[in-house]
Amino acid sequence: MNDLEGLLPEQIEKISKARERVIDSIGKNMDLYGITLSIGHLYGYMYFKEGPVTLDELSSNMGMSKTSMSTGVRTLLDLKMIDKVWGKGTRKDLFEVVPDWHQNFSDYFSIKWRKAVEGNMTALNKSLAEIRQMKTDYADEPDTTRLLQTDEIKIEEAIKYYRWLLKLIEALETGKIFELIPKE
């Protein structure tokens, strides 16, 4: 159903213009976080859509190919910004926006940051183990040992940062962040 159905053309134009401005703003905002502008627009369109939509409806209304639409929907599903929902009497997949922007933010950053932190921690721990081994191997070379000691301290500081970041991610995932910074 079209939620603008039954309105006067002037009303439809004004409401559509206001919505398009917000949708464009959402797209630009999401682009800052590494999500394409078109996927941001897709989320914005779905945000204003009353009820769940199919890929066909999205493709038709947004003027994008079904393949592009499918990729965008999959990205939004992975980021937990939309849900796949059941619809009585249809065999097509239906999708609906998750309207809680606080939770969207938490999910997006915890998913992205956790992946980055885990990769960085793996690299740091591997390098730290190698440096510690070299400190043993080159224990009789003071200049090398001093350099390795400096590198070891820098890596240990980086690891402390990533352990802190994991705590922040956990606060996002559990919702404890909202005890520190309440939702309005």
Side-chain angles (χ1 to χ4, degrees):
M1 178 186 150
N2 180 353
D3 62 339
L4 301 177
E5 195 173 293
L7 298 179
L8 297 172
E10 176 185 316
Q11 294 169 324
I12 293 171
E13 182 181 339
K14 286 181 177 182
I15 291 169
S16 295
K17 186 174 182 176
R19 286 180 176 183
E20 286 169 13
R21 188 179 306 111
V22 172
I23 290 168
D24 191 49
S25 176
I26 290 169
K28 287 176 182 173
N29 185 53
M30 290 174 73
D31 186 53
L32 292 172
Y33 300 109
I35 298 173
T36 66
L37 185 63
S38 62
I39 293 175
H41 286 164
L42 170 62
Y43 177 82
Y45 172 79
M46 291 178 72
Y47 183 72
F48 283 109
K49 185 73 176 141
E50 292 293 322
V53 292
T54 66
L55 284 176
D56 291 332
E57 289 175 83
L58 290 170
S59 180
S60 170
N61 289 321
M62 295 195 64
M64 294 172 67
S65 72
K66 194 169 176 182
T67 303
S68 295
M69 206 49 53
S70 181
T71 301
V73 165
R74 190 170 37 257
T75 298
L76 292 172
L77 281 169
D78 290 345
L79 294 172
K80 300 180 183 178
M81 296 179 78
I82 63 171
D83 286 327
K84 191 174 182 180
V85 296
W86 177 82
K88 186 176 181 178
T90 183
R91 294 195 296 183
K92 291 187 177 193
D93 291 336
L94 294 169
F95 304 96
E96 191 168 56
V97 79
V98 175
D100 184 343
W101 287 22
H102 296 88
Q103 191 60 50
N104 289 341
F105 174 88
S106 297
D107 289 340
Y108 175 79
F109 281 103
S110 61
I111 290 166
K112 293 291 187 181
W113 285 350
R114 184 170 292 285
K115 184 177 178 180
V117 167
E118 289 170 354
N120 291 341
M121 287 290 281
T122 298
L124 288 166
N125 284 317
K126 182 177 181 178
S127 292
L128 187 59
E130 290 169 352
I131 285 172
R132 288 179 175 159
Q133 182 59 51
M134 285 188 278
K135 280 176 61 180
T136 301
D137 294 345
Y138 303 114
D140 58 340
E141 297 180 29
D143 290 340
T144 305
T145 302
R146 203 171 17 261
L147 178 65
L148 292 168
Q149 180 65 32
T150 300
D151 285 0
E152 181 180 26
I153 290 168
K154 289 178 180 180
I155 292 172
E156 287 172 341
E157 287 301 312
I159 288 171
K160 288 178 188 176
Y161 164 73
Y162 285 113
R163 283 197 302 252
W164 172 85
L165 193 52
L166 284 171
K167 291 176 187 174
L168 177 58
I169 292 166
E170 185 177 312
L172 287 168
E173 290 172 339
T174 62
K176 288 183 181 178
I177 191 78
F178 301 118
E179 293 170 16
L180 300 170
I181 308 168
K183 296 178 185 181
E184 288 188 25

